[in-house]
Amino acid sequence: MKLKIYLPFTAIAAIVLSLTACKKYGIEVPDGFDDASGNQTNVTVDTNMKNIDRSGYAKARIFPGLVDQSEPRVQNQEFTLDLNFANQTTDNLRISVAPKPRFSTGYYAAPGELIKIIVPAGANGLNMQIGGHTDNLSGKSPLLRDPIIYNIQPLYPGVNYMRNIYGGTIYINATIAIAQPVKFIISGAVVSPDFVLGVDNDVSWLAKVKASKVPWLELRCKRVVFLVPLDKIQAKVNAGQLNNPTALMTEWNNKFELDFNGWMGLSDNAAEIIDRSPQGAWRGVLDIQLSAGYGHNGFPFVGLNDAEWFNGMTSLSRLFTNDGMWGTYHEFGHNCQQTRVWSWSTLGETTNNLFNFKTANRVGADYTILHPGVTKGFPLAVAWASNSTIPKNFDGDKEIDDPFKRMTPFIQIFEKYGYEAMTKLYTEARRVQRLAINDIDKHDFVYEHLSAYTQSDLAAFFDAWGITISKQTNAKVAAKYPLLTKQIWTYNPLDKTGGTADIVPTIYSVSSNQSNEGSPANMLDGNTATYWHSQYSPAPSAEQSYPHTIVYGQNQRLPIKGLYFVPRNSTAQRVKDAEILVSDDNVNFTSVGTFRIPNAFARYDFNFPGGVVAPRFIKIVFKNSWVSGNTKLAAVAEIGVIKP
């Protein structure tokens, strides 16, 4: 019946549909708190439980589906929810998306049918949501379903009524924690054949699923909830492929306990609130059309309703091999990115995928089956980082412009020093007083805290990968930790090889070199009988004549006070006057002095007039020869740095 009433606003049990695409009943109000104004409001409340609004049947039949009339509608059914939760948000967790206090009821509303719910006295700040498919498809064309098919209505102590012309899973959302469990009474809904870890047993749930005619159900554990279609679940159950939901959801719970929340350093009983696990469970849902892409993050994250995404949520074997799990972990990983502190602009599709490797590492899965991009990208990235003769820009070079290649340095640190390195980043990020304002700030954050975790100054590692760090942060870190000694950037995480060679200087470039003898590397071999020789055959061009330029790379930010030289044991090609310039990027050089190398087969030390410096690159310009008339040929036996 239609009931005309005149009540204080505080007593209204209104039907509120806050989304414009859904049919509205009653009035709209912002939340589930009583209004203390005392104003009188004229409202109409629909309370006829027998009245069904069939206006959305045609669209609901397509998606999310109708509920068979034979499915029993509950009458005055009690259910209790624990609405006490930790108030964890994206601000204090410093992540992109945090779980919200959304609580599953285990009930489903049939399309257009009125749901009656009684809320006990004192239970304020609540609202009811019908529909778990919250992706807004406005602007999409063509549409496979209506753009918005869920609605939310505030709940007040007393009797409340609500309907959704599309139907959907019923949730209770809380804005504040309520210390004591809250008992609700619901009528008009149908029971959803959800599986709840720790409540349902496998045998009874399988029977419940086979008998149900409710189009969607939830697979629930403490940490994660998946909303999946009944028909796909029934097909999998009938094929004998989902006989052990307890094991399935136990492992999903472990994934979030250990590989998501745990890896970020979050736990339920942490001493500090910022280290507490997120409020509520993480959620994932399947849909027939998405607002963006094949899947996207959010609360809930959304995947296309196909076999790939469905099996990613429901396959126990995949959870232990990580085969076919990339997408699910990928979207949850997006939710967990700390882009305001350390995940810089070129890592948008990189740091979210690090969780794939954590889950694989814990269960002993083979990295090579995680994604084809891993097996292709990792070796190429290692080769690029290992090439010490080229300048590098991690954020700008096209050779490394690939998310799989950019994962490599992080996995190298995890593999060589332990996966808790990520926990260090997340834990410290929650404690910073100021958020990062640019990518260099974020580079510095990662450099500083990974150096603290490894107890080594990782500047050489960051330099090898072309990740720019500031001089200020480098000085701060260098004062605390010893220099890295091994070339860990050459480690291949796929075959567990490399990364053990010592860090040694490199000749980055020479302006002229004889191809058949006199390698530049001879100047670094400690043997004065070998030497570098500029080109003499075929006859050198003007560009291969004096001045000759050599770029020496320390491959460390090592303090030095000068350079030493040993000329070749031959008077014919001995260099005479020279200049030294230093640089941190192999692009911009600053002169530190000019000098003359004696015409003798002996070591000559040149101490920098300005004192000790710590350059990454040293450019040596040989300007002329001791031999009159020699404008082209040069040779040097040894070059090295002089330590303070």
Side-chain angles (χ1 to χ4, degrees):
M1 65 179 176
K2 291 286 186 177
L3 180 64
K4 201 75 172 180
I5 56 176
Y6 296 84
L7 294 174
F9 191 76
T10 56
I12 297 170
I15 306 301
V16 174
L17 305 182
S18 62
L19 298 161
T20 58
C22 299
K23 191 169 181 178
K24 291 183 171 65
Y25 296 84
I27 62 172
E28 293 185 357
V29 289
D31 53 40
F33 289 95
D34 291 340
D35 177 14
S37 69
N39 295 332
Q40 300 292 313
T41 304
N42 182 2
V43 298
T44 300
V45 179
D46 185 357
T47 63
N48 187 351
M49 298 292 292
K50 295 181 180 180
N51 178 38
I52 300 176
D53 183 346
R54 296 181 173 84
S55 63
Y57 264 28
K59 294 178 179 179
R61 187 187 306 276
I62 296 172
F63 191 84
L66 301 178
V67 177
D68 194 277
Q69 288 299 313
S70 65
E71 193 73 32
R73 274 61 172 170
V74 300
Q75 298 298 321
N76 297 319
Q77 184 73 49
E78 292 185 351
F79 69 94
T80 301
L81 295 178
D82 181 357
L83 304 180
N84 198 15
F85 57 88
N87 187 26
Q88 293 294 70
T89 66
T90 57
D91 288 334
N92 57 11
L93 294 177
R94 301 279 169 80
I95 59 178
S96 298
V97 177
K100 299 175 183 177
R102 179 171 299 163
F103 300 88
S104 299
T105 65
Y107 294 97
Y108 194 94
E113 297 187 21
L114 195 60
I115 306 299
K116 174 184 175 182
I117 186 166
I118 301 175
V119 179
N124 292 305
L126 305 177
N127 61 62
M128 183 162 76
Q129 175 177 323
I130 298 181
H133 298 92
T134 56
D135 216 6
N136 186 343
L137 305 184
S138 297
K140 301 287 287 188
S141 180
L143 282 170
L144 302 183
R145 65 162 175 83
D146 271 3
I148 302 174
I149 60 173
Y150 77 105
N151 56 344
I152 300 175
Q153 171 188 315
L155 296 177
Y156 298 95
V159 181
N160 300 259
Y161 295 88
M162 182 178 181
R163 74 171 87 225
N164 183 324
I165 60 174
Y166 308 94
T169 307
I170 298 174
Y171 302 96
I172 302 296
N173 299 319
T175 58
I176 59 171
I178 300 176
Q180 299 302 318
V182 179
K183 182 181 292 185
F184 301 87
I185 301 175
I186 192 169
S187 298
V190 296
V191 175
S192 175
D194 298 353
F195 178 82
V196 183
L197 183 64
V199 175
D200 294 302
N201 66 68
D202 294 347
V203 175
S204 63
W205 178 75
L206 292 172
K208 183 168 60 173
V209 163
K210 291 178 180 179
S212 181
K213 296 181 176 63
V214 178
W216 291 81
L217 61 89
E218 290 189 326
L219 302 174
R220 291 192 260 154
C221 60
K222 181 178 181 181
R223 298 301 183 192
V224 66
V225 176
F226 294 117
L227 181 60
V228 291
L230 177 71
D231 59 351
K232 282 186 168 62
I233 289 289
Q234 287 178 329
K236 197 159 192 173
V237 167
N238 292 335
Q241 298 172 348
L242 188 54
N243 294 327
N244 194 347
T246 296
L248 173 71
M249 297 313 293
T250 296
E251 182 54 27
W252 265 119
N253 209 64
N254 289 339
K255 286 286 186 278
F256 282 87
E257 289 275 3
L258 304 174
D259 303 327
F260 282 85
N261 291 352
W263 202 28
M264 292 186 287
L266 303 172
S267 62
D268 288 343
N269 56 358
E272 297 185 59
I273 185 65
I274 59 174
D275 296 327
R276 304 268 175 88
S277 301
Q279 55 190 8
W282 298 87
R283 292 180 179 269
V285 61
L286 301 179
D287 205 328
I288 60 170
Q289 188 174 11
L290 279 62
S291 60
Y294 181 48
H296 67 77
N297 71 308
F299 184 78
F301 100 80
V302 187
L304 193 65
N305 186 21
D306 65 4
E308 183 66 22
W309 282 103
F310 175 75
N311 288 328
M313 294 177 176
T314 61
S315 172
L316 181 61
S317 62
R318 287 189 176 192
L319 287 176
F320 286 102
T321 62
N322 270 41
D323 186 14
M325 295 301 298
W326 189 269
T328 306
Y329 299 152
H330 174 102
E331 301 304 348
F332 280 127
H334 270 310
N335 287 348
C336 295
Q337 284 176 300
Q338 291 184 318
T339 57
R340 294 176 293 172
V341 181
W342 65 268
S343 182
W344 59 86
S345 61
T346 62
L347 301 180
E349 295 298 327
T350 294
T351 51
N352 62 310
N353 288 309
L354 299 180
F355 293 90
N356 279 278
F357 295 90
K358 173 61 170 66
T359 60
N361 176 266
R362 183 176 60 83
V363 300
D366 185 352
Y367 292 170
T368 62
I369 66 172
L370 298 183
H371 193 285
V374 172
T375 54
K376 179 182 179 181
F378 274 31
L380 293 175
V382 171
W384 181 79
S386 300
N387 187 346
S388 61
T389 64
I390 58 172
K392 306 186 189 83
N393 183 342
F394 185 85
D395 296 324
D397 290 354
K398 64 180 182 179
E399 293 84 0
I400 201 71
D401 187 14
D402 174 86
F404 298 98
K405 293 177 182 178
R406 288 190 171 123
M407 295 172 204
T408 312
F410 291 96
I411 306 305
Q412 287 177 329
I413 292 293
F414 298 159
E415 288 282 306
K416 298 294 287 184
Y417 293 98
Y419 273 74
E420 291 76 13
M422 186 75 138
T423 312
K424 175 72 171 178
L425 292 179
Y426 270 88
T427 302
E428 295 299 332
R430 293 193 295 272
R431 286 162 170 77
V432 295
Q433 294 182 348
R434 297 181 181 87
L435 301 179
I437 61 173
N438 55 47
D439 278 355
I440 300 301
D441 284 350
K442 298 174 185 181
H443 292 182
D444 282 352
F445 180 91
V446 176
Y447 161 58
E448 179 177 356
H449 293 291
L450 288 185
S451 292
Y453 175 77
T454 63
Q455 293 293 290
S456 297
D457 179 357
L458 294 178
F461 179 78
F462 279 70
D463 292 340
W465 280 104
I467 303 172
T468 305
I469 56 178
S470 71
K471 289 185 177 181
Q472 296 88 338
T473 303
N474 175 230
K476 177 181 176 181
V477 171
K480 291 183 179 180
Y481 309 110
L483 291 172
L484 183 70
T485 60
K486 301 295 182 181
Q487 299 181 42
I488 58 174
W489 55 87
T490 66
Y491 174 76
N492 187 340
L494 299 183
D495 61 16
K496 318 297 184 186
T497 61
T500 58
D502 291 335
I503 297 176
V504 294
T506 303
I507 299 298
Y508 270 65
S509 64
V510 292
S511 60
S512 175
N513 184 63
Q514 184 62 32
S515 59
N516 61 345
E517 68 173 40
S519 167
N522 290 341
M523 291 185 287
L524 304 178
D525 64 1
N527 182 359
T528 58
T530 62
Y531 51 85
W532 157 77
H533 202 301
S534 65
Q535 182 172 316
Y536 59 84
S537 178
S541 64
E543 291 77 12
Q544 296 164 321
S545 302
Y546 280 101
H548 292 294
T549 300
I550 295 173
V551 177
Y552 173 100
Q554 293 203 88
N555 293 326
Q556 282 281 28
R557 295 176 182 242
L558 186 68
I560 58 173
K561 66 177 183 179
L563 258 67
Y564 68 82
F565 302 85
V566 178
R568 180 187 176 187
N569 189 16
S570 169
T571 60
Q573 300 91 27
R574 285 182 185 166
V575 295
K576 183 179 181 182
D577 295 315
E579 181 179 10
I580 290 181
L581 304 93
V582 295
S583 171
D584 287 331
D585 58 10
N586 201 19
V587 176
N588 302 295
F589 284 86
T590 301
S591 177
V592 296
T594 59
F595 57 97
R596 176 167 291 179
I597 301 174
N599 187 12
F601 180 51
R603 171 170 165 161
Y604 169 73
D605 289 0
F606 172 67
N607 293 314
F608 299 153
V612 174
V613 295
R616 290 177 55 201
F617 303 96
I618 304 166
K619 182 185 290 186
I620 306 147
V621 181
F622 297 120
K623 299 183 176 183
N624 49 43
S625 169
W626 277 104
V627 179
S628 177
N630 177 17
T631 61
K632 296 180 179 181
L633 303 182
V636 175
E638 290 292 309
I639 292 176
V641 298
I642 304 171
K643 298 180 181 179

